[in-house]
Amino acid sequence: MWKKKRFIGRLGAASITVMMLATIFTSNGAYAETELNWIEGTGQSVTLGDDLAELKLSEAFVFLNGADTQTFQQESGGVPSGMEIGMVFPMDDAQNWAVMFEYEDSGHISDKEKE
């Protein structure tokens, strides 16, 4: 089973405020021992948010859902925005980056309502 501990030595605090961003993390050394639901890629699709999108996850990556992404952010010294809907990490230990997905439901105005 793929565990958070795999990244503890090289991932650390990050505050990400854009919808999708690749970030290099640095270690800060202080972590709680919360068990996260890491989903290992097998070529399956994973759902982002409440059926907002699907992401095909290859064997080279692992995925965290929105709630686990927020927990990971907090335990890594970051400040979750509450808009996190998922996070992807490479399985390769030589790569230290991650992609975080956020979603803000800012609304939609139809052309009929524009006036």
Side-chain angles (χ1 to χ4, degrees):
M1 183 71 174
W2 200 87
K3 303 263 186 206
K4 175 180 119 176
K5 292 178 183 179
R6 183 173 178 159
F7 278 104
I8 287 177
R10 66 178 210 238
L11 295 178
S15 178
I16 301 174
T17 58
V18 293
M19 184 167 177
M20 186 169 64
L21 179 67
T23 303
I24 297 176
F25 293 91
T26 58
S27 177
N28 72 1
Y31 295 94
E33 292 297 324
T34 303
E35 187 68 30
L36 300 175
N37 182 29
W38 295 96
I39 299 172
E40 294 184 42
T42 61
Q44 81 277 32
S45 292
V46 292
T47 302
L48 292 169
D50 294 327
D51 290 327
L52 293 171
E54 284 189 0
L55 179 67
K56 188 171 183 179
L57 193 63
S58 79
E59 293 84 8
F61 302 100
V62 292
F63 174 80
L64 286 177
N65 65 23
D68 284 338
T69 296
Q70 291 176 16
T71 300
F72 180 85
Q73 273 281 94
Q74 269 183 323
E75 291 184 2
S76 299
V79 179
S81 67
M83 294 185 292
E84 296 85 359
I85 60 172
M87 199 164 185
V88 174
F89 298 84
M91 289 287 287
D92 182 358
D93 286 334
Q95 298 182 32
N96 26 326
W97 58 268
V99 176
M100 181 181 300
F101 300 92
E102 292 185 341
Y103 176 77
E104 180 177 349
D105 186 11
S106 58
H108 172 79
I109 299 173
S110 71
D111 287 338
K112 294 177 186 177
E113 297 176 4
K114 68 181 178 182
E115 295 177 25

mmCIF file of all heavy atoms in Angstrom, residues 15-33:
data_model
loop_
_atom_site.group_PDB
_atom_site.id
_atom_site.type_symbol
_atom_site.label_atom_id
_atom_site.label_comp_id
_atom_site.label_asym_id
_atom_site.label_seq_id
_atom_site.Cartn_x
_atom_site.Cartn_y
_atom_site.Cartn_z
ATOM 1 N N SER A 15 1.535 26.512 -0.201
ATOM 2 C CA SER A 15 0.235 27.169 -0.261
ATOM 3 C C SER A 15 -0.064 27.421 -1.729
ATOM 4 O O SER A 15 0.582 28.203 -2.375
ATOM 5 C CB SER A 15 0.282 28.479 0.514
ATOM 6 O OG SER A 15 -0.947 29.132 0.412
ATOM 7 N N ILE A 16 -1.076 26.730 -2.222
ATOM 8 C CA ILE A 16 -1.362 26.790 -3.650
ATOM 9 C C ILE A 16 -2.723 27.431 -3.841
ATOM 10 O O ILE A 16 -3.706 26.962 -3.305
ATOM 11 C CB ILE A 16 -1.315 25.387 -4.264
ATOM 12 C CG1 ILE A 16 0.059 24.795 -4.028
ATOM 13 C CG2 ILE A 16 -1.644 25.429 -5.739
ATOM 14 C CD1 ILE A 16 0.188 23.374 -4.445
ATOM 15 N N THR A 17 -2.772 28.504 -4.627
ATOM 16 C CA THR A 17 -4.028 29.230 -4.766
ATOM 17 C C THR A 17 -4.550 29.276 -6.188
ATOM 18 O O THR A 17 -5.512 29.970 -6.457
ATOM 19 C CB THR A 17 -3.853 30.672 -4.254
ATOM 20 O OG1 THR A 17 -2.815 31.293 -5.001
ATOM 21 C CG2 THR A 17 -3.527 30.696 -2.784
ATOM 22 N N VAL A 18 -3.950 28.564 -7.094
ATOM 23 C CA VAL A 18 -4.470 28.514 -8.454
ATOM 24 C C VAL A 18 -5.163 27.189 -8.680
ATOM 25 O O VAL A 18 -4.961 26.248 -7.926
ATOM 26 C CB VAL A 18 -3.352 28.717 -9.505
ATOM 27 C CG1 VAL A 18 -2.785 30.099 -9.438
ATOM 28 C CG2 VAL A 18 -2.285 27.677 -9.364
ATOM 29 N N MET A 19 -5.962 27.106 -9.726
ATOM 30 C CA MET A 19 -6.763 25.900 -9.948
ATOM 31 C C MET A 19 -5.898 24.675 -10.145
ATOM 32 O O MET A 19 -6.185 23.615 -9.617
ATOM 33 C CB MET A 19 -7.690 26.092 -11.140
ATOM 34 C CG MET A 19 -8.605 24.940 -11.364
ATOM 35 S SD MET A 19 -9.869 25.405 -12.488
ATOM 36 C CE MET A 19 -10.725 23.865 -12.614
ATOM 37 N N MET A 20 -4.846 24.775 -10.886
ATOM 38 C CA MET A 20 -3.976 23.627 -11.106
ATOM 39 C C MET A 20 -2.549 24.146 -11.159
ATOM 40 O O MET A 20 -2.239 25.027 -11.932
ATOM 41 C CB MET A 20 -4.355 22.935 -12.424
ATOM 42 C CG MET A 20 -3.626 21.662 -12.669
ATOM 43 S SD MET A 20 -4.289 20.711 -14.053
ATOM 44 C CE MET A 20 -3.983 21.807 -15.422
ATOM 45 N N LEU A 21 -1.667 23.589 -10.321
ATOM 46 C CA LEU A 21 -0.315 24.100 -10.233
ATOM 47 C C LEU A 21 0.643 22.990 -9.862
ATOM 48 O O LEU A 21 0.414 22.253 -8.920
ATOM 49 C CB LEU A 21 -0.259 25.200 -9.166
ATOM 50 C CG LEU A 21 1.075 25.851 -8.886
ATOM 51 C CD1 LEU A 21 1.523 26.650 -10.103
ATOM 52 C CD2 LEU A 21 0.972 26.763 -7.698
ATOM 53 N N ALA A 22 1.742 22.888 -10.585
ATOM 54 C CA ALA A 22 2.794 21.956 -10.209
ATOM 55 C C ALA A 22 3.751 22.708 -9.298
ATOM 56 O O ALA A 22 4.159 23.808 -9.600
ATOM 57 C CB ALA A 22 3.524 21.447 -11.447
ATOM 58 N N THR A 23 4.095 22.108 -8.172
ATOM 59 C CA THR A 23 4.902 22.780 -7.170
ATOM 60 C C THR A 23 5.995 21.850 -6.659
ATOM 61 O O THR A 23 5.753 20.683 -6.439
ATOM 62 C CB THR A 23 4.024 23.188 -5.968
ATOM 63 O OG1 THR A 23 2.963 24.013 -6.444
ATOM 64 C CG2 THR A 23 4.820 23.948 -4.932
ATOM 65 N N ILE A 24 7.168 22.386 -6.435
ATOM 66 C CA ILE A 24 8.231 21.620 -5.791
ATOM 67 C C ILE A 24 8.153 21.896 -4.306
ATOM 68 O O ILE A 24 8.096 23.034 -3.875
ATOM 69 C CB ILE A 24 9.613 22.025 -6.328
ATOM 70 C CG1 ILE A 24 9.686 21.690 -7.810
ATOM 71 C CG2 ILE A 24 10.721 21.350 -5.545
ATOM 72 C CD1 ILE A 24 10.969 22.122 -8.469
ATOM 73 N N PHE A 25 8.106 20.811 -3.516
ATOM 74 C CA PHE A 25 7.963 20.935 -2.074
ATOM 75 C C PHE A 25 9.312 20.767 -1.374
ATOM 76 O O PHE A 25 10.186 20.074 -1.866
ATOM 77 C CB PHE A 25 7.015 19.851 -1.543
ATOM 78 C CG PHE A 25 5.604 20.029 -1.993
ATOM 79 C CD1 PHE A 25 5.159 19.440 -3.155
ATOM 80 C CD2 PHE A 25 4.736 20.809 -1.245
ATOM 81 C CE1 PHE A 25 3.863 19.609 -3.570
ATOM 82 C CE2 PHE A 25 3.438 20.980 -1.656
ATOM 83 C CZ PHE A 25 2.999 20.376 -2.813
ATOM 84 N N THR A 26 9.433 21.377 -0.210
ATOM 85 C CA THR A 26 10.608 21.200 0.632
ATOM 86 C C THR A 26 10.161 20.702 1.990
ATOM 87 O O THR A 26 9.059 20.989 2.434
ATOM 88 C CB THR A 26 11.379 22.525 0.814
ATOM 89 O OG1 THR A 26 10.495 23.475 1.377
ATOM 90 C CG2 THR A 26 11.922 23.025 -0.512
ATOM 91 N N SER A 27 11.008 19.981 2.674
ATOM 92 C CA SER A 27 10.628 19.365 3.941
ATOM 93 C C SER A 27 10.688 20.361 5.081
ATOM 94 O O SER A 27 11.591 21.168 5.172
ATOM 95 C CB SER A 27 11.567 18.197 4.238
ATOM 96 O OG SER A 27 11.247 17.648 5.476
ATOM 97 N N ASN A 28 9.708 20.292 5.999
ATOM 98 C CA ASN A 28 9.763 21.092 7.214
ATOM 99 C C ASN A 28 9.864 20.213 8.447
ATOM 100 O O ASN A 28 9.985 20.708 9.542
ATOM 101 C CB ASN A 28 8.579 22.062 7.309
ATOM 102 C CG ASN A 28 7.269 21.381 7.613
ATOM 103 O OD1 ASN A 28 7.204 20.160 7.784
ATOM 104 N ND2 ASN A 28 6.210 22.158 7.671
ATOM 105 N N GLY A 29 9.766 18.889 8.280
ATOM 106 C CA GLY A 29 10.043 17.952 9.351
ATOM 107 C C GLY A 29 8.945 17.696 10.367
ATOM 108 O O GLY A 29 9.109 16.853 11.228
ATOM 109 N N ALA A 30 7.810 18.387 10.355
ATOM 110 C CA ALA A 30 6.769 18.178 11.354
ATOM 111 C C ALA A 30 5.512 17.625 10.691
ATOM 112 O O ALA A 30 4.890 18.302 9.897
ATOM 113 C CB ALA A 30 6.445 19.501 12.049
ATOM 114 N N TYR A 31 5.154 16.392 11.031
ATOM 115 C CA TYR A 31 4.009 15.757 10.405
ATOM 116 C C TYR A 31 3.210 14.966 11.422
ATOM 117 O O TYR A 31 3.759 14.336 12.306
ATOM 118 C CB TYR A 31 4.446 14.790 9.293
ATOM 119 C CG TYR A 31 5.110 15.484 8.158
ATOM 120 C CD1 TYR A 31 6.487 15.608 8.111
ATOM 121 C CD2 TYR A 31 4.359 16.032 7.133
ATOM 122 C CE1 TYR A 31 7.101 16.261 7.071
ATOM 123 C CE2 TYR A 31 4.969 16.681 6.084
ATOM 124 C CZ TYR A 31 6.338 16.796 6.062
ATOM 125 O OH TYR A 31 6.938 17.447 5.030
ATOM 126 N N ALA A 32 1.917 14.967 11.278
ATOM 127 C CA ALA A 32 1.056 14.096 12.075
ATOM 128 C C ALA A 32 0.992 12.754 11.356
ATOM 129 O O ALA A 32 1.436 12.613 10.242
ATOM 130 C CB ALA A 32 -0.331 14.713 12.208
ATOM 131 N N GLU A 33 0.402 11.782 11.991
ATOM 132 C CA GLU A 33 0.349 10.436 11.418
ATOM 133 C C GLU A 33 -1.060 10.070 10.960
ATOM 134 O O GLU A 33 -1.553 9.016 11.283
ATOM 135 C CB GLU A 33 0.860 9.419 12.444
ATOM 136 C CG GLU A 33 2.334 9.548 12.735
ATOM 137 C CD GLU A 33 3.206 9.273 11.517
ATOM 138 O OE1 GLU A 33 2.862 8.401 10.695
ATOM 139 O OE2 GLU A 33 4.230 9.954 11.380
#
